[in-house]
Amino acid sequence: MIRLAAITRSFTDDGRTLEVLRGVDLAVSAGEVVAVVGASGSGKSTLLAIAGALDTGFGGEAEVAGQRLRGLSPEALARLRNRSIGFVFQSFNLVPSFTALQNVLLPGMLRHGQGEPIDALRVRALAALDRVGLAGKAHARPARLSGGERQRVAIARALLTRPALLLADEPTGNLDAVTGEAIIRLFGELAREGTAVLVVTHEERVSRVASRVLTLREGRLS
């Protein structure tokens, strides 16, 4: 589902070149939960952006959902993300003027040419909200939700299109202990249903459902 080989990524800051990733190899298969842990600034989010076809300025080879990322057009990358990848961002990325339900519906509405009826999308969006414990908040806007509730809306949105691959960036960082445990269990359930799950986090508790726990340190994965 994900195959990264000899991935390098550098950034330039004030004329200096900063190596964030140095020859990273990573494979995640369907049915796996793989957790990548590391200190803040270790490159975890950069690794996730490459795996999610958001960052194309890397060296090495990357294949996601059967497609090699090298050489894909921006349009092809966008289609890959919309059809095969679910994202849970640390910053939520919710549309403030949309309700929770509308935010969850958004990826389905962006699927051009697939012709899925809005009523069917709505049923799945409500089911996704119910799965993260927010069935009663479907018509609330983000400003009326707590940080933890916003994170759960973001997770529901990631689940709407039934992605083959789920990528999560610090998904439990804004959740209380009980809700965080429920989301971690949900990742395990998704893997048992055949989804490949890659989580980057600094929390060791995610390892309870992970097939593997890898450490990113000084740009290298071990």
Side-chain angles (χ1 to χ4, degrees):
M1 188 56 60
I2 300 176
R3 186 184 65 82
L4 306 181
I7 296 295
T8 59
R9 186 64 169 102
S10 300
F11 296 92
T12 302
D13 182 32
D14 291 332
R16 297 177 302 161
T17 298
L18 306 175
E19 280 191 293
V20 178
L21 300 177
R22 306 176 181 181
V24 168
D25 297 321
L26 174 65
V28 183
S29 300
E32 275 195 300
V33 179
V34 174
V36 175
V37 299
S40 179
S42 63
K44 301 188 306 296
S45 294
T46 299
L47 178 65
L48 205 69
I50 292 170
L54 289 168
D55 183 343
T56 59
F58 60 88
E61 291 294 332
E63 182 178 302
V64 176
Q67 293 197 53
R68 293 181 64 184
L69 301 187
R70 183 77 64 201
L72 287 183
S73 68
E75 293 78 13
L77 289 168
R79 284 194 299 271
L80 174 64
R81 290 191 296 267
N82 185 261
R83 294 175 182 176
S84 300
I85 306 172
F87 293 92
V88 181
F89 297 101
Q90 190 174 1
S91 56
F92 314 139
N93 288 351
L94 302 180
V95 180
S97 60
F98 284 10
T99 65
L101 177 61
Q102 289 167 333
N103 270 284
V104 175
L105 278 168
L106 191 57
M109 300 297 291
L110 293 174
R111 282 192 162 190
H112 298 297
Q114 300 223 352
E116 187 168 11
I118 185 62
D119 287 346
L121 279 174
R122 183 183 176 87
V123 168
R124 287 206 283 113
L126 288 169
L129 283 169
D130 184 53
R131 192 164 191 181
V132 298
L134 287 180
K137 301 279 187 169
H139 301 293
R141 287 180 168 79
R144 306 284 298 189
L145 301 173
S146 68
E149 288 171 336
R150 293 178 203 175
Q151 182 66 296
R152 284 187 280 161
V153 171
I155 292 170
R157 179 182 59 193
L159 299 180
L160 178 74
T161 57
R162 301 186 184 114
L165 171 63
L166 180 68
L167 303 176
D169 189 353
E170 301 286 3
T172 58
N174 295 293
L175 303 180
D176 59 70
V178 173
T179 306
E181 291 289 346
I183 294 303
I184 290 168
R185 288 196 301 272
L186 174 60
F187 290 156
E189 292 171 9
L190 292 170
R192 288 190 291 275
E193 293 168 8
T195 304
V197 182
L198 176 61
V199 182
V200 299
T201 182
H202 66 275
E203 290 200 59
E204 295 292 341
R205 60 179 174 167
V206 177
S207 65
R208 296 175 194 171
V209 298
S211 313
R212 287 175 287 143
V213 179
L214 308 174
T215 300
L216 188 61
R217 183 182 295 113
E218 296 181 352
R220 299 187 186 279
L221 204 56
S222 62

